[in-house]
Amino acid sequence: MTESPHDEKKLTLLVVEDDFLIGFDLKRTLQEAGHRVIGPARKVSEALEILKTQSPDAAILDVNLYGERVSPVARLLHVMGIPFVLTSADEDFIRGDDALSASENFGKPTDTKRLLASLHALGETGR
Amino acid sequence: MTLEDLYRLLRSGHVQAQGVLDTLDVPLLVLDQGMCVVTANPAFLRAFKTSRDDTVGHALFELGNGQWDIPDLRQLLSSVIPRAAAIVDYEISHAFPDIGERTFLITARKLAHPDGNSQQILIVFTDITKRRIDSAAKDILLNESRHRMKNLLAVVRALAHQTRTEGETALQYRKSFLERLDCLAVTQELAMAEADGVDFETLVRQTLQSYTDRIALRPGANPPLANSQVQPLGMSLNELATNAVKYGALSVPDGSINLSWEVEHEGERQVLSVVWTEENGPEVDQPDHEGFGTGLINHSVTGALDGEVDIAYDKSGVNVRIRIPLDRNLE
């Protein structure tokens, strides 16, 4: 069954990304697809602060944030039952990290088409 | 003298052999069939901080409280003797009590004695610890630069993706994209070049260099910027100029821009206050949607720079006030 874009479930998404241009593009791309964006949070502390008061449908995480790993955010998302995907240039970084290694990585530069399709699927299953 | 000559000398039991061993820089041992040290050259004694008395005449695996009793080495030597094979560059890493963690390439070779009965083993140790550390450091550096390259490509992709296409010709698109790419390159260079960070005036002059005849600078105090501030601030200035050329004061011959800045003190905090004032341009109206330029400026200043921005579309021209805290450093 095919659905028109208007039937897709719109999601509230937390974006965690330290580069301002990549964050800007990601935010606008997600917004153009109709999603609501929280962030971009640029630091682990900023993302953790946001998750104190907000509960997004899903999160998109860069892994290396000014040299700090996003892992504490990933662990909190696990606990909260919020699915997340990664956008990292560094596969080695992810492989060695239990909090991250099970998650899908859309890489850098990020394949946004694939990312949006994956988010769409997430909306269909209703998390 | 080649190692081959040395083996021949040792085989012939020539008296010269001892002298040769002594002068060689590479640590060497000669063992008898029972793995007892027959000869240790000075390079060996130096490398492992031991003495001739503590070494010669002792079993290899008992030397220095058994520090040589390394399973890999035992295995290696026990396979050399029966097969009469030479083993070349076998790598062994081991933590020695006196000299620490070392990595050696071991070359071992059976020496046939002239009397035909006794068999000895010559072992040559090449310390590659430093080489290994250097190559690990190089791997980290390579990985880091690969990571950076991917990131930079992602940034370029973001610029290409966000540069407006609606109602633009391919030529206009290319011009807008390349201007942003150039600004990215300039600010990237500035952010990386200076260890202590670049100052604001340099950033202004570098990012606005193609507009300097139309923009009057009114410099105040010239604060140093954190590296993380350079790109968002530089790109924002570039977008202000780009918008002025397209819609604002720089779109007409008589228009001009004043750019002034000052460092203000708010208690403990220092705030860079930048004012961009367009004059004698066309009458401007608030645009009905946020374009790339204003979007990027808002995103950069409130997001990446933790500051505030106010863009006023006055009848006399666009008036932009940017305030960013200076006492923060993410890196």
Side-chain angles (χ1 to χ4, degrees):
Chain A
M1 191 179 93
T2 53
E3 289 178 85
S4 78
H6 297 288
D7 296 334
E8 287 176 24
K9 187 174 173 208
K10 299 310 173 196
L11 305 168
T12 299
L13 302 166
L14 170 65
V15 172
V16 181
E17 167 64 60
D18 64 351
D19 185 279
F20 78 108
L21 285 171
I22 296 171
F24 177 62
D25 181 36
L26 195 52
K27 181 178 180 173
R28 281 168 73 109
T29 304
L30 295 170
Q31 283 172 339
E32 274 163 30
H35 301 298
R36 194 173 89 79
V37 175
I38 310 172
R42 292 156 299 138
K43 288 177 285 182
V44 169
S45 58
E46 223 177 296
L48 294 177
E49 196 60 38
I50 288 171
L51 290 172
K52 273 186 191 168
T53 55
Q54 303 189 64
S55 180
D57 298 311
I60 299 160
L61 311 179
D62 181 22
V63 170
N64 183 347
L65 305 170
Y66 295 102
E68 200 182 355
R69 267 173 206 244
V70 80
S71 322
V73 181
R75 279 193 288 271
L76 179 58
L77 289 167
H78 269 305
V79 171
M80 294 173 76
I82 297 171
F84 61 88
V85 295
L86 308 173
T87 57
S88 172
D90 200 337
E91 284 287 345
D92 294 344
F93 222 79
I94 297 167
R95 259 196 296 278
D97 195 318
D98 289 345
L100 306 175
S101 53
S103 300
E104 190 170 4
N105 181 21
F106 290 90
K108 229 168 221 148
T110 307
D111 184 346
T112 37
K113 231 185 227 164
R114 209 159 61 80
L115 175 66
L116 284 170
S118 152
L119 291 171
H120 180 194
L122 196 68
E124 302 256 284
T125 57
R127 23 193 289 218
Chain B
M1 162 165 300
T2 65
L3 264 184
E4 233 8 88
D5 295 332
L6 177 62
Y7 296 138
R8 211 176 53 242
L9 278 171
L10 285 169
R11 271 202 298 276
S12 70
H14 199 285
V15 68
Q16 269 187 354
Q18 190 64 48
V20 171
L21 284 186
D22 285 354
T23 56
L24 282 179
D25 235 6
V26 193
L28 294 170
L29 283 183
V30 178
L31 306 179
D32 67 15
Q33 257 170 309
M35 299 296 155
C36 213
V37 179
V38 179
T39 306
N41 73 341
F44 179 89
L45 302 176
R46 271 198 307 276
F48 297 99
K49 297 195 171 139
T50 183
S51 69
R52 194 174 296 277
D53 286 348
D54 288 336
T55 308
V56 175
H58 296 271
L60 171 68
F61 298 126
E62 284 159 20
L63 289 184
N65 295 323
Q67 63 176 316
W68 285 98
D69 195 0
I70 307 166
D72 276 355
L73 188 61
R74 263 186 190 274
Q75 162 73 25
L76 181 71
L77 296 180
S78 60
S79 75
V80 173
I81 297 289
R83 290 192 214 143
I87 288 191
V88 178
D89 287 350
Y90 186 89
E91 188 175 323
I92 287 182
S93 290
H94 184 63
F96 293 90
D98 294 333
I99 60 169
E101 181 81 38
R102 290 298 160 101
T103 303
F104 287 99
L105 293 179
I106 290 184
T107 295
R109 177 168 185 136
K110 200 168 106 178
L111 303 168
H113 223 257
D115 61 22
N117 296 325
S118 77
Q119 288 190 330
Q120 298 187 328
I121 309 174
L122 170 72
I123 312 180
V124 181
F125 301 85
T126 312
D127 188 342
I128 57 160
T129 311
K130 189 171 179 306
R131 207 194 297 170
R132 277 284 175 275
I133 292 171
D134 289 352
S135 110
K138 208 190 283 169
D139 282 351
I140 291 171
L141 213 66
L142 255 173
N143 193 40
E144 172 69 16
S145 66
R146 212 174 56 214
H147 180 208
R148 276 176 190 242
M149 214 147 69
K150 284 188 186 175
N151 238 325
L152 187 58
L153 284 177
V155 171
V156 173
R157 189 185 190 284
L159 277 187
H161 190 230
Q162 285 305 324
T163 295
R164 184 189 166 91
T165 54
E166 293 86 8
E168 307 277 307
T169 65
L171 214 59
Q172 286 167 327
Y173 173 86
R174 185 173 69 183
K175 185 171 175 291
S176 304
F177 171 67
L178 289 181
E179 272 173 13
R180 285 175 183 138
L181 190 62
D182 289 346
C183 182
L184 184 75
V186 167
T187 52
Q188 173 106 343
E189 183 70 24
L190 283 174
M192 290 194 309
E194 306 284 333
D196 331 322
V198 67
D199 60 85
F200 182 67
E201 185 165 348
T202 304
L203 178 66
V204 168
R205 291 190 186 278
Q206 293 275 325
T207 48
L208 299 177
Q209 54 187 327
S210 28
Y211 312 98
T212 38
D213 53 329
R214 307 285 300 276
I215 302 177
L217 302 186
R218 313 233 184 283
N222 186 23
L225 301 171
N227 281 343
S228 62
Q229 295 174 314
V230 174
Q231 261 192 346
L233 204 44
M235 296 290 289
S236 297
L237 290 170
N238 182 63
E239 290 306 325
L240 285 175
T242 303
N243 276 349
V245 169
K246 272 186 125 171
Y247 318 107
L250 301 189
S251 67
V252 294
D254 288 341
S256 64
I257 294 168
N258 278 318
L259 176 58
S260 66
W261 67 88
E262 199 43 79
V263 175
E264 293 170 4
H265 298 262
E266 292 182 352
E268 296 283 286
R269 292 173 80 216
Q270 290 199 343
V271 176
L272 173 64
S273 168
V274 183
V275 180
W276 172 282
T277 313
E278 301 191 10
E279 286 166 351
N280 300 323
E283 211 169 275
V284 288
D285 292 317
Q286 175 113 23
D288 48 11
H289 73 283
E290 186 188 75
F292 173 95
T294 41
L296 184 77
I297 294 164
N298 281 322
H299 177 84
S300 303
V301 177
T302 57
L305 298 166
D306 280 337
E308 298 151 28
V309 57
D310 173 50
I311 305 179
Y313 297 89
D314 298 340
K315 288 289 168 216
S316 56
V318 173
N319 199 320
V320 182
R321 289 167 183 276
I322 293 174
R323 293 170 58 76
I324 60 165
L326 287 167
D327 47 356
R328 53 181 285 283
N329 195 349
L330 280 168
E331 287 154 304

